[in-house]
Amino acid sequence: MFKNLMLYRLGPGWPASAAQLEKALAREPFAECGATQQKSTGWVAPRGEQHGALVEAVDGQWIARFAIETKPVPGDAVRRKVQQAVAEIEKTSGRKPGKKELRDLRDDALLALLPQAFARRSQVTLWLNPQQRWLALDAGSQGKADEVIASLVRVAGQGFAIHLLQTAHSPQAAMTGWLAATSADDWPEGLHVERECELKGSGDEPAVVKFTRHELATDEVRQHIAEGKLPTRLALGWQGRVGFVLTQALQLKKIGFLDGVFDERPAPASADERFDADVALATGELRGLITDLIAALGGEIEPGTPSGFTEAPTPASTVTEEATVAADDPPF
């Protein structure tokens, strides 16, 4: 169900019910790119059914899905078409186009080529835990997460607020302590260090050391830590049931449920039953993982509270640190 998770904290007043969330997301339904449209985004039914519900409530958890479709046009194709137009102007008029005319020629070339471009579509799954007001996005990049948050801001209405989830200790500081530990007894309860990590030094050209399928509880790794290299990614396991890579930005990557976990569910009789079973099992496991991970990082703190973070948790963004909606927007 999930390969990556970016974690957010919702404001206390939003949302009140799955039905309200459904109504809000219906304001931005997904539609395929038109012939001359380069990009289209919007909400789709998470079960994949045409005209299906945009929000699914399963075992107390809400699931939605956001689609992003783009029609990339190769830059070389645009340049060739512009060069042809420029050559024709020079031939017929004996002059070279100015800067403004060149921009217009590029726009015209792009519009002419867009109908021939193949559309590419990706989807981001949204998981909302209404009891604990967590919002998690299965996004592999910050750009895709920003697209989803921006849509939520537009449709949510008055009083909406969302923040990146913040902890008392930065993931990097915690990972440094776990790698520097001389015994597994010093690892947090429920979590254990696996065999993959990335260490990065400081300076203008920092050294980077990557370990893959390598034992990390070694003097070699501890020596890198002592020399000032800090972990940016670390593979962890939780309770022998879920594996993942934790990043310095508090993102969970490469989430994988270990052998046998999904075998515990009853055999589903239909696609709908399989969807419900997968959501219930995946969110049930991940709720426990996230709870233990937050505890291992010193607990959650209120947005804006000074913490152990030594750097911003994510690149600067206009929507992910704190998103609010003007009071005169339609109510959620």
Side-chain angles (χ1 to χ4, degrees), residues 29-34 37-51 65-72 117-125 144:
F30 174 76
E32 294 181 354
C33 286
Q37 187 178 2
Q38 201 167 9
K39 184 176 183 180
S40 179
T41 64
W43 298 92
V44 297
R47 291 185 190 271
E49 301 171 348
Q50 191 173 11
H51 307 303
R65 193 157 287 161
F66 188 79
I68 303 170
E69 186 173 274
T70 58
K71 294 175 70 174
F118 290 99
R120 297 178 183 175
R121 189 181 304 179
S122 61
Q123 296 186 350
V124 177
T125 299
K144 288 184 177 180

Side-chain angles (χ1 to χ4, degrees), residues 13-297:
W14 185 94
S17 68
Q20 285 186 334
L21 181 58
E22 169 87 22
K23 183 178 179 181
L25 300 189
R27 295 173 60 188
E28 289 196 3
F30 174 76
E32 294 181 354
C33 286
T36 58
Q37 187 178 2
Q38 201 167 9
K39 184 176 183 180
S40 179
T41 64
W43 298 92
V44 297
R47 291 185 190 271
E49 301 171 348
Q50 191 173 11
H51 307 303
L54 297 179
V55 179
E56 295 289 347
V58 179
D59 198 27
Q61 308 301 302
W62 303 347
I63 302 294
R65 193 157 287 161
F66 188 79
I68 303 170
E69 186 173 274
T70 58
K71 294 175 70 174
V73 176
D76 285 345
V78 174
R79 282 192 290 272
R80 285 196 300 270
K81 200 164 187 65
V82 170
Q83 287 168 0
Q84 291 171 2
V86 169
E88 183 64 22
I89 291 172
E90 291 177 345
K91 178 181 178 181
T92 57
S93 66
R95 64 177 181 82
K96 291 186 177 182
K99 290 184 179 180
K100 182 181 183 303
E101 191 173 3
L102 281 173
R103 287 196 298 268
D104 292 339
L105 290 174
R106 290 190 190 99
D107 292 342
D108 292 342
L110 181 60
L111 286 174
L113 292 169
L114 272 172
Q116 306 170 39
F118 290 99
R120 297 178 183 175
R121 189 181 304 179
S122 61
Q123 296 186 350
V124 177
T125 299
L126 177 150
W127 163 32
L128 196 152
N129 183 326
Q131 290 79 29
Q132 294 170 299
R133 302 203 322 276
W134 291 341
L135 185 147
L137 300 180
D138 187 356
S141 70
Q142 189 64 52
K144 288 184 177 180
D146 287 351
E147 294 267 16
V148 180
I149 299 301
S151 178
L152 288 174
V153 170
R154 290 191 298 267
V155 304
Q158 173 177 337
F160 172 73
I162 184 170
H163 311 268
L164 285 166
L165 192 144
Q166 296 184 19
T167 54
H169 307 308
S170 75
Q172 188 167 71
M175 292 189 291
T176 301
W178 301 338
L179 289 173
T182 57
S183 169
D185 294 336
D186 296 324
W187 295 345
E189 184 175 356
L191 296 172
H192 59 276
V193 175
E194 295 288 355
R195 300 195 303 157
E196 176 184 340
C197 81
E198 179 180 281
L199 303 174
K200 189 174 183 179
S202 57
D204 294 335
E205 296 183 352
V208 177
V209 180
K210 296 182 180 180
F211 293 92
T212 304
R213 297 185 296 276
H214 191 286
E215 176 62 42
L216 299 180
T218 65
D219 289 339
E220 177 187 6
V221 173
R222 286 189 284 270
Q223 180 62 34
H224 283 299
I225 296 293
E227 292 171 355
K229 298 184 185 73
L230 298 176
T232 57
R233 301 165 64 94
L234 176 63
L236 298 168
W238 177 76
Q239 301 286 5
R241 300 179 66 81
V242 184
F244 65 101
V245 172
L246 177 65
T247 77
Q248 63 181 344
L250 191 50
Q251 297 173 3
L252 281 63
K253 303 281 191 179
K254 297 183 179 179
I255 295 172
F257 297 89
L258 304 185
D259 291 344
V261 172
F262 273 80
D263 295 339
E264 298 172 6
R265 67 181 181 186
S270 66
D272 280 344
E273 288 186 6
R274 178 176 287 107
F275 179 90
D276 290 344
D278 287 351
V279 168
L281 194 149
T283 58
E285 296 289 333
L286 292 172
R287 288 202 304 272
L289 185 160
I290 293 170
T291 298
D292 285 354
L293 179 60
I294 291 173
L297 298 176

